Amino acid sequence: MADDCLFCKIIKGEIPSKKAYEDDLCYAFHDINPVAPVHILIVPKKHILGIQEITEEDSQTVGHMFVVARKLAEEQGLAPGENLERGYRLVFNVGRDAGQSVFHLHLHLIGGRSMSWPPG
Ligand code: 5GP
Ligand code: ZN
């Protein structure tokens, strides 16, 4: 935990959030400024600055974040289905140029509308 970190404060409950999921390794909550009908952030409870700081030690945690994302996507009705029609996007913004604004690792789960590629 880092004292001056927004997401550490959210994990500790010092700042309110709309919880989507929690276990020993991670916490998930709805983004305050959603860019799509579903926009959930999955964060490790351990304070890691971002993908730029992960090590082999974090492999289990980071892998687990993807499993949680897949389950949350299914709960939200975003599973691609037989025809692979629906779907969602999983995003790590790494560094300011990529759009990272909070420096505590977080995986964006975004869905509920069609999306274009490449991103802006
Ligand atoms: P980044 O730009 O670092 O990839 O993503 C940070 C995300 O955190 C943004 O989508 C932003 O809307 C979200 N966010 C920032 N502050 C808060 C907050 O206090 N509560 C919640 N729920 N989301 C936040
Ligand atoms: Zn933190």
Side-chain angles (χ1 to χ4, degrees):
M1 293 282 168
D3 290 342
D4 57 348
C5 170
L6 175 66
F7 286 178
C8 282
K9 286 180 181 159
I10 285 178
I11 293 163
K12 283 187 275 185
E14 290 173 12
I15 291 175
S17 64
K18 195 174 160 205
K19 176 165 137 178
Y21 175 83
E22 182 172 16
D23 63 25
D24 288 348
L25 289 177
C26 69
Y27 183 73
F29 57 102
H30 295 267
D31 198 291
I32 203 166
N33 187 21
V35 298
V38 177
H39 189 169
I40 295 173
L41 301 172
I42 299 126
V43 307
K45 287 192 170 170
K46 175 185 172 186
H47 179 83
I48 303 169
L49 191 134
I51 286 288
Q52 54 274 60
E53 198 184 65
I54 56 169
T55 67
E56 285 296 336
E57 250 180 49
D58 304 312
S59 300
Q60 194 200 346
T61 302
V62 175
H64 181 64
M65 289 166 71
F66 282 102
V67 177
V68 169
R70 193 265 298 161
K71 289 180 180 169
L72 284 169
E74 286 175 7
E75 263 179 46
Q76 296 287 332
L78 301 176
E82 262 181 38
N83 299 330
L84 303 177
E85 263 167 16
R86 283 181 306 277
Y88 51 90
R89 198 166 280 176
L90 297 175
V91 177
F92 284 111
N93 292 326
V94 187
R96 288 189 207 282
D97 262 2
Q100 186 175 6
S101 60
V102 177
F103 289 86
H104 178 129
L105 183 66
H106 51 282
L107 178 59
H108 293 259
L109 164 60
I110 299 166
R113 63 169 170 83
S114 62
M115 283 171 251
S116 59
W117 189 264

